[in-house]
């Protein structure tokens, strides 16, 4: 397993299992006799599924060692295929290819780079059905969610294709009359990109889009759990006419640490962008210090979701459903601690649990399924441990709370827990699964203090109809992104990123391209004169 994903083996190996009695199942299980929930997808273009090869210098290559690793369908546990187990030498070759491509790519006009990204976007749209099927196959999320991700992912190429021709500098008034000061923005150089498995298309396009728009070349390390989506995107990059060496996709599972160290310590790589856990981010930052790289890190979250007693209850419930259970809770910005003001706590819990009970759990290709499996058994163990810990410390599971072995090893019931306290593991650890713990609070001061007590600060949400309160709480929350009366904040036009130990830098939006640029100041002397002489 990759250390660059949200749930690491080191924090989940000690978790224990619990028994589940199928007769108590409170969910609809879609499990057709024909095993449609675990069927192998049929692609309209089978050539998009690249096995045993990675994409380096415009060519499909195997690992020099010839080694591969296996990738499994999280729904069925069946083998999808194998991908190259690349190592330090393979990674260095990709870096060298990106370095060789950089001088010619950096001098292309913004309009030329824009057209390349637009062509790549068009190809993603044309092949969206196949790309979605690949995501569902290796990630497990329902096909409808996967289609939504492809639309979201493609939009980053569209957005940054529009930003590429609009990279502006400044003219700055000098303090010396004869001087003229201007700034220009230049691409930082070769970039190392490390992406997670939970959004295998969107996380890579959100990084590659601005990098290419700025004139950089990239080496992207695909996630070991979901390499095939990124490799399909590489095939489309090839078809879009992206010059060789500009985009390189490498893969590894066991050699992930080795590969990450090469990217962070190579003097050729000038920038590293990483999405993953805070712990791994700290390691990568330390390694990158040896060459003082430019960095942007989007790390762990523990998002507070606050509902005040003056909120529209139905809107708040809908927002909580969207924020907490999208991708079965496997998102960095999903609500992790749900705080409900005491006056509406019971009514919110009842309405919320009723909505969760309507979910349909099953394989991602089955019609009507709303929630699929978690990524692997380690994720299941972590989720189960959080539920058992809460129960042990006095909380009550009012919906779900158990594994679903009748569906497969990686399925867990969408869960709602009441009576949560700050002593429970879920209060301080990112669950990254379909478990909603409801905390009760009385005052603004109390909930802000608890919400801000986390070491991380990625996203936060709150619901209120009081205009003055909206302003106060939005400014008081120590997070990089705030959703007010909405549970969905992701948008290519919006700057995505956190504060505190959730990282630094922003992705998407007009700010995202700046993460891949340096500002050069040029002073011209002897430019002024007295025309009256």
């Amino acid at each position: 397993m990759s250390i660059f994903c949200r749930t690491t083996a080191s924090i989940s190996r000690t978790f224990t299992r619990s028994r589940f009695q199928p007769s108590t199942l409170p969910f609809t299980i879609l499990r057709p006799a024909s095993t449609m929930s675990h069927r192998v997808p049929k692609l309209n273009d089978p050539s998009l599924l690249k096995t045993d090869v990675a994409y380096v210098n415009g060519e499909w290559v195997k690992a020099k060692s010839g080694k591969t690793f296996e990738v499994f369908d999280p729904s069925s546990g069946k083998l999808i295929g194998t991908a190259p187990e690349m190592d330090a030498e393979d990674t260095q070759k990709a870096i060298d290819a990106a370095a060789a491509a950089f001088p010619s790519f950096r001098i292309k006009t913004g309009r030329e780079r824009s057209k390349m990204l637009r062509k790549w976007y068009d190809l993603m749209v044309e092949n969206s059905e196949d790309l979605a099927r690949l995501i569902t196959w290796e990630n497990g999320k329902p096909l409808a969610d996967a289609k939504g991700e492809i639309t979201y992912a493609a939009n980053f190429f569209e957005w940054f294709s529009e930003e590429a021709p609009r990279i502006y500098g400044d003219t700055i008034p000098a303090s010396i009359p004869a001087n003229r000061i201007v700034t220009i923005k230049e691409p930082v150089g070769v970039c190392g990109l490390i992406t997670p498995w939970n959004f295998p298309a969107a996380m890579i396009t959100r990084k590659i889009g601005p990098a290419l728009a700025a004139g950089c070349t990239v080496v992207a390390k695909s996630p070991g759990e979901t390499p095939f989506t990124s490799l399909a995107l590489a095939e489309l990059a090839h078809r879009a006419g992206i010059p060789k060496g500009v985009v390189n996709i490498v893969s590894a599972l066991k050699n992930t640490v080795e590969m990450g160290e090469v990217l962070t310590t190579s003097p050729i790589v000038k920038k590293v962008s990483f999405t993953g856990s805070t712990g791994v981010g700290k390691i990568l930052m330390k390694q990158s210090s040896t060459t003082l790289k430019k960095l942007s890190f989007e790390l762990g979250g523990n998002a507070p979701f606050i509902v005040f007693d003056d909120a529209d209850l139905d809107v708040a419930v809908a927002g909580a459903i969207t924020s907490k259970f999208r991708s079965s809770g496997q998102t960095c910005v999903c609500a992790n601690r749900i705080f409900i003001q005491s006056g509406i706590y019971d009514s919110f819990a009842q309405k919320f649990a009723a909505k969760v009970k309507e979910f349909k759990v099953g394989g991602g290709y089955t019609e009507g399924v709303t929630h699929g499996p978690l990524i692997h058994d380690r994720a299941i163990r972590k989720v189960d441990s959080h539920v058992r810990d809460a129960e042990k410390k006095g909380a009550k599971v009012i919906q779900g709370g158990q594994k679903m072995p009748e569906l497969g090893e990686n399925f867990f019931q969408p869960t709602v827990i009441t009576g949560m306290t700050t002593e429970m593991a879920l209060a301080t650890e990112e669950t990254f699964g379909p478990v909603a713990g409801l905390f009760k609070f009385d005052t603004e001061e109390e909930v802000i203090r608890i919400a801000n007590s986390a070491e991380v600060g990625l996203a936060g949400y709150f619901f209120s109809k009081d205009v003055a309160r909206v302003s106060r709480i939005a400014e008081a929350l120590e997070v990089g992104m705030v959703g007010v009366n909405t549970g969905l904040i992701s948008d290519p036009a919006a700057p995505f990123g956190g504060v505190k130990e959730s990282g630094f830098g922003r992705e998407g939006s007009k700010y995202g391209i700046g993460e891949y640029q340096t500002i050069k100041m040029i002073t011209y002397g002897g430019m002024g004169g007295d025309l009256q002489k």
Side-chain angles (χ1 to χ4, degrees):
M1 158 188 190
S2 166
I3 64 167
F4 297 117
C5 66
R6 293 290 182 187
T7 307
T8 62
S10 62
I11 59 175
S12 60
R13 293 194 184 281
T14 61
F15 297 159
T16 58
R17 296 180 178 270
S18 66
R19 299 296 297 168
F20 169 69
Q21 300 300 323
S23 61
T24 64
L25 183 67
F27 296 95
T28 301
I29 298 179
L30 297 185
R31 184 182 48 191
S34 62
T35 68
M36 289 288 285
S37 60
H38 299 322
R39 69 179 182 226
V40 175
K42 182 179 180 181
L43 302 181
N44 296 316
D45 182 356
S47 67
L48 288 177
L49 176 59
K50 301 293 185 181
T51 59
D52 299 328
V53 291
Y55 187 70
V56 176
N57 203 28
E59 298 178 346
W60 293 103
V61 299
K62 296 178 181 291
K64 184 179 180 181
S65 66
K67 294 180 180 179
T68 61
F69 64 91
E70 297 178 325
V71 181
F72 295 93
D73 177 350
S75 287
S76 66
K78 294 180 179 179
L79 180 69
I80 297 174
T82 55
E85 184 66 63
M86 305 184 92
D87 58 18
E89 186 175 351
D90 295 306
T91 307
Q92 188 59 51
K93 286 184 177 180
I95 292 171
D96 292 341
F102 178 62
S104 59
F105 189 68
R106 68 171 298 175
I107 62 175
K108 288 189 180 296
T109 67
R111 183 62 63 189
E112 287 176 310
R113 296 194 296 269
S114 172
K115 289 177 179 177
M116 292 180 192
L117 284 169
R118 182 69 198 197
K119 179 60 176 176
W120 201 355
Y121 162 79
D122 289 338
L123 288 170
M124 281 193 70
V125 173
E126 291 172 18
N127 293 275
S128 60
E129 187 73 27
D130 280 350
L131 293 173
R133 288 172 181 167
L134 283 174
I135 288 177
T136 295
W137 199 5
E138 62 180 355
N139 171 278
K141 66 179 61 176
L143 188 58
D145 286 359
K147 290 178 179 179
E149 181 185 340
I150 291 301
T151 298
Y152 179 53
N155 285 345
F156 283 108
F157 285 158
E158 181 182 44
W159 174 270
F160 286 108
S161 74
E162 296 162 348
E163 290 291 294
R166 298 178 177 86
I167 298 173
Y168 302 132
D170 292 301
T171 300
I172 302 171
S175 58
I176 300 173
N179 285 0
R180 300 292 182 267
I181 302 172
V182 300
T183 63
I184 59 175
K185 295 180 180 179
E186 298 183 331
V188 67
V190 176
C191 300
L193 313 178
I194 304 171
T195 62
W197 50 261
N198 57 337
F199 287 90
M203 295 301 94
I204 199 167
T205 61
R206 195 163 72 183
K207 297 179 188 298
I208 290 181
L212 267 58
C216 298
T217 57
V218 304
V219 177
K221 194 275 176 189
S222 64
E225 296 83 358
T226 58
F228 297 128
T229 300
S230 56
L231 293 172
L233 292 176
E235 169 64 21
L236 297 182
H238 191 83
R239 298 179 191 180
I242 307 295
K244 71 175 185 177
V246 172
V247 173
N248 304 276
I249 308 291
V250 293
S251 63
L253 187 64
K254 292 181 179 179
N255 293 334
T256 290
V257 175
E258 176 183 334
M259 185 175 286
E261 188 169 6
V262 173
L263 290 173
T264 52
T265 59
S266 168
I268 298 173
V269 176
K270 303 301 182 183
K271 152 82 183 211
V272 169
S273 177
F274 167 66
T275 298
S277 72
T278 297
V280 173
K282 291 179 179 180
I283 294 171
L284 297 179
M285 188 173 182
K286 183 177 182 179
Q287 292 173 349
S288 297
S289 69
T290 60
T291 51
L292 291 178
K293 297 190 190 307
K294 188 178 178 74
L295 303 173
S296 55
F297 286 174
E298 189 261 289
L299 306 177
N302 191 352
F305 186 103
I306 305 168
V307 183
F308 291 100
D309 54 12
D310 64 342
D312 183 314
L313 196 58
D314 290 333
V315 171
V317 167
I321 291 291
T322 298
S323 177
K324 173 68 257 183
F325 290 105
R326 186 163 62 105
S327 295
S328 295
Q330 298 177 115
T331 77
C332 54
V333 294
C334 75
N336 200 60
R337 299 168 293 159
I338 302 177
F339 300 101
I340 313 299
Q341 201 155 17
S342 54
I344 59 169
Y345 185 89
D346 291 339
S347 55
F348 179 93
Q350 182 180 8
K351 284 177 173 283
F352 185 60
K355 287 293 184 181
V356 173
K357 191 174 183 178
E358 296 174 2
F359 292 165
K360 296 179 180 179
V361 182
Y365 296 116
T366 303
E367 178 121 14
V369 158
T370 59
H371 294 79
L374 300 190
I375 189 66
H376 44 48
D377 61 347
R378 297 179 295 282
I380 288 287
R381 290 198 294 271
K382 183 177 185 181
V383 167
D384 188 60
S385 77
H386 277 191
V387 176
R388 304 285 79 82
D389 173 78
E391 284 186 315
K392 181 179 178 180
K393 295 175 181 176
K396 181 181 180 181
V397 175
I398 64 171
Q399 185 65 43
Q402 301 291 344
K403 302 174 189 177
M404 307 177 76
E406 69 286 350
L407 284 180
E409 289 289 324
N410 299 326
F411 288 86
F412 199 92
Q413 295 175 354
T415 299
V416 180
I417 309 175
T418 58
M420 296 294 299
T421 66
T422 56
E423 291 76 30
M424 297 168 185
L426 190 147
T428 55
E429 299 177 13
E430 187 178 23
T431 304
F432 228 63
V435 178
L438 307 186
F439 298 76
K440 186 183 294 187
F441 75 93
D442 292 313
T443 66
E444 282 187 22
E445 294 76 15
E446 174 193 4
V447 74
I448 290 300
R449 175 179 54 79
I450 299 172
N452 288 343
S453 65
E455 295 178 346
V456 293
L458 188 57
Y461 310 83
F462 70 93
F463 286 71
S464 172
K465 290 188 287 188
D466 184 323
V467 174
R469 171 178 277 168
V470 163
S471 180
R472 285 196 305 273
I473 303 303
E475 294 178 11
L477 286 173
E478 296 175 355
V479 296
M481 300 173 285
V482 178
V484 182
N485 293 323
T486 180
L488 186 62
I489 58 175
S490 297
D491 189 313
F496 194 101
V499 297
K500 300 197 288 188
E501 292 195 11
S502 284
F504 41 80
R506 293 296 180 267
E507 294 187 314
S509 81
K510 68 176 185 178
Y511 303 105
I513 197 169
E515 301 291 337
Y516 296 87
Q517 296 171 319
T518 57
I519 297 176
K520 178 180 285 184
M521 183 276 291
I522 304 172
T523 297
Y524 298 90
M527 300 297 289
D530 188 349
L531 297 180
Q532 300 303 317
K533 291 182 180 180

